[in-house]
Amino acid sequence: MSVERKTRIITTQRLLEMKQKGEKIAMLTAYDFTSAKIVDEAGIDIILVGDSAANVMAGHETTLPITLDQMIYHAQSVVRAVKNPMVVVDMPFGTYQGDSKHAVSSAIRIMKESEADALKVEGGSEILESVRRILSTGIPVMGHLGLTPQSIHKFGTYSVRAREEEEANKLIEDAIALEEAGCFAIVLEKIPAELGRKVSSCVKIPIIGIGAGNGVDGQVLVMHDMLGINTEFSPRFLRRYHNLHDEMLGAFRRFIDDVKSGDFPNEQEQY
Ligand code: KIV
């Protein structure tokens, strides 16, 4: 008789070991049961239930509109599907910035209702109090620095961050502060490769990059982007592993033709 696995293979401790041994960490986003199951089967280390769901699942221009309830719904769907990878859930905009008590109750809601393994938050010194409080409840926290999409209205563009020395120095200080607070990993988004390498060597915890070069400890991509479902988004850092947009379009068109011509269903496809 097989026993359902109750604890996942990828833990915060295992990620730390991976960095120490120089084993790269692979992370992908997923938002639903079916695709999370395939990503798990492929052998991914971490699944991120990203607030990029606001863009790719709901069609919003930014990640800001997605709600706590919606993130919990996506997280529950993913957690139900997976056995081995760690499941990290993005805390949505407005649920942890500002009031650290509110941050803790949002964090507890996600963990209780989804049974995910960890949470991710965007920002450095500005959100440190919330990060400390969440960590004090025993919830593992992943940081996110560089281009932080929840601050898009402050930045004004999605261009590369921390090219200037002042912003680069603040980013390094923030990474060290997040590590000292107890974060188990940090995502670095869209920054110069040299800075990514430097941050990774300044901290012991794994640094997972998206457009942060090859000198970091792992890489993350948004599933819909790397599958080529979404053809309008093509930043330099994105490697497309498939052209699913064209595959899906072809399949939908063939189905429509088959229905219109009366070819579907045939004798074998009916009762
Ligand atoms: O929401 C998301 O998908 C993310 C990744 C881009 C890291 O935060």
Side-chain angles (χ1 to χ4, degrees), residues 27 29 31 48 50-53 63 90 120 122 144 149 187 189 210 220 222:
M27 173 160 118
T29 65
Y31 320 98
L48 173 66
D51 60 357
S52 50
T63 56
D90 260 336
K120 176 163 82 60
E122 295 183 6
H144 184 155
V187 166
E189 182 164 351
I210 173 162
V220 54
V222 168

Side-chain angles (χ1 to χ4, degrees), residues 184-228:
F184 71 93
I186 299 172
V187 166
L188 285 187
E189 182 164 351
K190 224 171 174 186
I191 59 161
E194 203 36 56
L195 180 58
R197 185 182 301 281
K198 196 166 173 189
V199 175
S200 174
S201 68
C202 284
V203 296
K204 292 197 173 61
I205 57 175
I207 299 295
I208 300 172
I210 173 162
N214 203 9
V216 292
D217 310 301
Q219 301 291 331
V220 54
L221 285 177
V222 168
M223 178 196 287
H224 291 62
D225 299 337
M226 60 84 76
L227 287 178

Side-chain angles (χ1 to χ4, degrees), residues 146-183:
L147 176 64
T148 46
Q150 292 180 12
S151 305
I152 185 58
H153 297 304
K154 184 172 93 181
F155 298 147
T157 77
Y158 286 100
S159 54
V160 178
R161 304 301 313 174
R163 281 196 192 277
E164 304 303 325
E165 201 179 334
E166 195 181 338
E167 193 179 341
N169 287 340
K170 157 119 173 64
L171 190 144
I172 295 170
E173 282 164 21
D174 280 344
I176 294 169
L178 289 172
E179 175 177 51
E180 282 174 359
C183 287

Side-chain angles (χ1 to χ4, degrees), residues 94-114:
T95 63
Y96 63 95
Q97 299 95 338
D99 179 356
S100 61
K101 280 192 195 155
H102 180 219
V104 171
S105 50
S106 312
I108 289 175
R109 259 204 74 199
I110 300 176
M111 296 299 284
K112 253 188 189 301
E113 294 179 34
S114 74

